mmCIF file of all heavy atoms in Angstrom:
data_model
loop_
_atom_site.group_PDB
_atom_site.id
_atom_site.type_symbol
_atom_site.label_atom_id
_atom_site.label_comp_id
_atom_site.label_asym_id
_atom_site.label_seq_id
_atom_site.Cartn_x
_atom_site.Cartn_y
_atom_site.Cartn_z
ATOM 1 N N GLY J 8 18.744 31.054 -52.597
ATOM 2 C CA GLY J 8 18.133 29.779 -52.541
ATOM 3 C C GLY J 8 18.293 29.148 -51.183
ATOM 4 O O GLY J 8 17.302 28.556 -50.636
ATOM 5 N N ASN J 67 -21.590 3.938 20.735
ATOM 6 C CA ASN J 67 -21.043 5.196 20.019
ATOM 7 C C ASN J 67 -20.416 4.766 18.715
ATOM 8 O O ASN J 67 -19.834 5.614 18.022
ATOM 9 C CB ASN J 67 -20.010 5.800 20.941
ATOM 10 C CG ASN J 67 -20.550 6.428 22.227
ATOM 11 O OD1 ASN J 67 -21.535 7.195 22.038
ATOM 12 N ND2 ASN J 67 -20.031 6.195 23.333
ATOM 13 N N MET J 73 -19.859 7.816 11.440
ATOM 14 C CA MET J 73 -20.529 9.065 10.843
ATOM 15 C C MET J 73 -19.590 10.164 10.766
ATOM 16 O O MET J 73 -19.538 10.914 9.778
ATOM 17 C CB MET J 73 -21.765 9.314 11.609
ATOM 18 C CG MET J 73 -22.515 10.506 11.142
ATOM 19 S SD MET J 73 -23.322 10.189 9.575
ATOM 20 C CE MET J 73 -24.292 11.761 9.383
ATOM 21 N N GLY J 115 -5.358 32.108 -6.124
ATOM 22 C CA GLY J 115 -5.317 31.932 -7.600
ATOM 23 C C GLY J 115 -5.877 30.574 -8.123
ATOM 24 O O GLY J 115 -6.312 30.429 -9.245
ATOM 25 N N LYS J 116 -5.916 29.599 -7.172
ATOM 26 C CA LYS J 116 -6.467 28.243 -7.517
ATOM 27 C C LYS J 116 -7.851 28.025 -6.898
ATOM 28 O O LYS J 116 -8.254 26.877 -6.802
ATOM 29 C CB LYS J 116 -5.506 27.151 -7.133
ATOM 30 C CG LYS J 116 -4.143 27.102 -7.960
ATOM 31 C CD LYS J 116 -4.512 26.531 -9.311
ATOM 32 C CE LYS J 116 -3.231 26.413 -10.106
ATOM 33 N NZ LYS J 116 -3.442 25.751 -11.437
ATOM 34 N N VAL J 122 -7.789 24.598 -13.923
ATOM 35 C CA VAL J 122 -7.457 23.240 -13.995
ATOM 36 C C VAL J 122 -8.325 22.503 -15.002
ATOM 37 O O VAL J 122 -9.558 22.645 -15.032
ATOM 38 C CB VAL J 122 -7.793 22.524 -12.579
ATOM 39 C CG1 VAL J 122 -7.502 21.010 -12.682
ATOM 40 C CG2 VAL J 122 -6.886 23.157 -11.550
ATOM 41 N N LEU J 133 4.751 15.319 -14.914
ATOM 42 C CA LEU J 133 4.511 14.122 -15.622
ATOM 43 C C LEU J 133 3.156 13.458 -15.413
ATOM 44 O O LEU J 133 2.926 12.437 -16.057
ATOM 45 C CB LEU J 133 5.605 13.062 -15.263
ATOM 46 C CG LEU J 133 7.042 13.447 -15.705
ATOM 47 C CD1 LEU J 133 8.058 12.394 -15.179
ATOM 48 C CD2 LEU J 133 7.178 13.621 -17.177
ATOM 49 N N ILE J 149 -7.795 12.869 5.885
ATOM 50 C CA ILE J 149 -7.542 12.050 7.079
ATOM 51 C C ILE J 149 -7.008 12.768 8.294
ATOM 52 O O ILE J 149 -7.177 12.366 9.365
ATOM 53 C CB ILE J 149 -6.490 10.990 6.630
ATOM 54 C CG1 ILE J 149 -6.493 9.844 7.764
ATOM 55 C CG2 ILE J 149 -5.083 11.524 6.491
ATOM 56 C CD1 ILE J 149 -5.727 8.642 7.258
ATOM 57 N N VAL J 155 -10.655 13.066 15.655
ATOM 58 C CA VAL J 155 -11.828 12.452 16.225
ATOM 59 C C VAL J 155 -11.500 11.513 17.381
ATOM 60 O O VAL J 155 -12.221 11.424 18.423
ATOM 61 C CB VAL J 155 -12.656 11.701 15.128
ATOM 62 C CG1 VAL J 155 -13.691 10.823 15.729
ATOM 63 C CG2 VAL J 155 -13.224 12.735 14.144
ATOM 64 N N VAL J 207 2.717 18.182 9.037
ATOM 65 C CA VAL J 207 1.462 18.504 8.395
ATOM 66 C C VAL J 207 0.290 17.679 8.847
ATOM 67 O O VAL J 207 -0.819 18.230 9.156
ATOM 68 C CB VAL J 207 1.562 18.461 6.820
ATOM 69 C CG1 VAL J 207 0.305 18.786 6.193
ATOM 70 C CG2 VAL J 207 2.748 19.347 6.351
ATOM 71 N N THR J 267 12.760 6.294 -5.332
ATOM 72 C CA THR J 267 12.333 6.916 -4.073
ATOM 73 C C THR J 267 11.080 6.303 -3.588
ATOM 74 O O THR J 267 10.882 5.962 -2.395
ATOM 75 C CB THR J 267 12.142 8.408 -4.234
ATOM 76 O OG1 THR J 267 13.421 8.981 -4.642
ATOM 77 C CG2 THR J 267 11.763 9.035 -2.845
ATOM 78 N N VAL J 307 0.210 1.401 14.050
ATOM 79 C CA VAL J 307 -0.071 2.800 13.654
ATOM 80 C C VAL J 307 1.065 3.727 14.123
ATOM 81 O O VAL J 307 1.546 4.681 13.384
ATOM 82 C CB VAL J 307 -1.446 3.244 14.257
ATOM 83 C CG1 VAL J 307 -1.657 4.742 13.881
ATOM 84 C CG2 VAL J 307 -2.573 2.382 13.718
ATOM 85 N N LEU J 343 2.029 7.931 30.641
ATOM 86 C CA LEU J 343 1.950 9.347 30.618
ATOM 87 C C LEU J 343 0.494 9.927 30.724
ATOM 88 O O LEU J 343 0.220 10.837 31.391
ATOM 89 C CB LEU J 343 2.623 9.927 29.257
ATOM 90 C CG LEU J 343 2.623 11.494 29.131
ATOM 91 C CD1 LEU J 343 3.515 12.066 30.233
ATOM 92 C CD2 LEU J 343 3.113 11.846 27.790
ATOM 93 N N ARG J 345 -2.079 8.413 32.027
ATOM 94 C CA ARG J 345 -2.598 8.185 33.392
ATOM 95 C C ARG J 345 -2.035 9.194 34.325
ATOM 96 O O ARG J 345 -2.728 9.772 35.267
ATOM 97 C CB ARG J 345 -2.249 6.738 33.869
ATOM 98 C CG ARG J 345 -3.151 5.734 33.370
ATOM 99 C CD ARG J 345 -2.981 4.361 34.157
ATOM 100 N NE ARG J 345 -1.604 3.938 34.126
ATOM 101 C CZ ARG J 345 -1.149 3.046 33.297
ATOM 102 N NH1 ARG J 345 -1.833 2.650 32.338
ATOM 103 N NH2 ARG J 345 0.103 2.669 33.431
ATOM 104 N N TYR J 349 -5.317 13.417 31.352
ATOM 105 C CA TYR J 349 -6.199 13.900 30.241
ATOM 106 C C TYR J 349 -6.888 12.665 29.582
ATOM 107 O O TYR J 349 -6.369 11.533 29.631
ATOM 108 C CB TYR J 349 -5.440 14.705 29.149
ATOM 109 C CG TYR J 349 -4.251 13.891 28.622
ATOM 110 C CD1 TYR J 349 -4.490 13.055 27.498
ATOM 111 C CD2 TYR J 349 -2.966 14.020 29.079
ATOM 112 C CE1 TYR J 349 -3.337 12.390 26.828
ATOM 113 C CE2 TYR J 349 -1.941 13.263 28.474
ATOM 114 C CZ TYR J 349 -2.142 12.497 27.417
ATOM 115 O OH TYR J 349 -1.088 11.792 26.840
ATOM 116 N N ILE J 368 11.906 14.350 14.387
ATOM 117 C CA ILE J 368 13.244 14.643 14.951
ATOM 118 C C ILE J 368 14.288 13.566 14.427
ATOM 119 O O ILE J 368 15.344 13.925 13.981
ATOM 120 C CB ILE J 368 13.226 14.671 16.461
ATOM 121 C CG1 ILE J 368 12.346 15.887 16.898
ATOM 122 C CG2 ILE J 368 14.617 14.792 17.069
ATOM 123 C CD1 ILE J 368 12.059 15.887 18.425
ATOM 124 N N TRP J 392 18.269 20.402 14.695
ATOM 125 C CA TRP J 392 17.760 21.616 15.127
ATOM 126 C C TRP J 392 16.671 22.215 14.226
ATOM 127 O O TRP J 392 15.655 22.711 14.769
ATOM 128 C CB TRP J 392 18.970 22.616 15.379
ATOM 129 C CG TRP J 392 18.476 24.060 15.601
ATOM 130 C CD1 TRP J 392 18.695 25.128 14.762
ATOM 131 C CD2 TRP J 392 17.701 24.570 16.660
ATOM 132 N NE1 TRP J 392 18.177 26.272 15.223
ATOM 133 C CE2 TRP J 392 17.494 25.870 16.348
ATOM 134 C CE3 TRP J 392 17.173 24.003 17.711
ATOM 135 C CZ2 TRP J 392 16.790 26.713 17.323
ATOM 136 C CZ3 TRP J 392 16.416 24.789 18.655
ATOM 137 C CH2 TRP J 392 16.263 26.171 18.412
ATOM 138 N N TYR J 404 1.744 26.794 17.122
ATOM 139 C CA TYR J 404 0.688 27.301 16.204
ATOM 140 C C TYR J 404 -0.602 26.495 16.309
ATOM 141 O O TYR J 404 -1.740 27.019 16.507
ATOM 142 C CB TYR J 404 1.154 27.325 14.732
ATOM 143 C CG TYR J 404 0.171 27.886 13.740
ATOM 144 C CD1 TYR J 404 0.102 29.290 13.555
ATOM 145 C CD2 TYR J 404 -0.673 27.036 13.101
ATOM 146 C CE1 TYR J 404 -0.832 29.754 12.589
ATOM 147 C CE2 TYR J 404 -1.606 27.545 12.252
ATOM 148 C CZ TYR J 404 -1.673 28.883 11.950
ATOM 149 O OH TYR J 404 -2.578 29.387 11.073
ATOM 150 N N LEU J 416 -16.307 28.389 19.645
ATOM 151 C CA LEU J 416 -17.436 27.504 19.381
ATOM 152 C C LEU J 416 -18.209 27.090 20.620
ATOM 153 O O LEU J 416 -19.404 27.075 20.640
ATOM 154 C CB LEU J 416 -16.926 26.273 18.607
ATOM 155 C CG LEU J 416 -16.555 26.472 17.130
ATOM 156 C CD1 LEU J 416 -16.087 25.141 16.587
ATOM 157 C CD2 LEU J 416 -17.735 26.987 16.353
#
Side-chain angles (χ1 to χ4, degrees):
N67 293 312
M73 179 68 173
K116 288 287 186 178
V122 177
L133 297 178
I149 198 170
V155 167
V207 177
T267 300
V307 177
L343 180 66
R345 283 197 302 270
Y349 58 86
I368 294 171
W392 168 240
Y404 179 86
L416 286 179

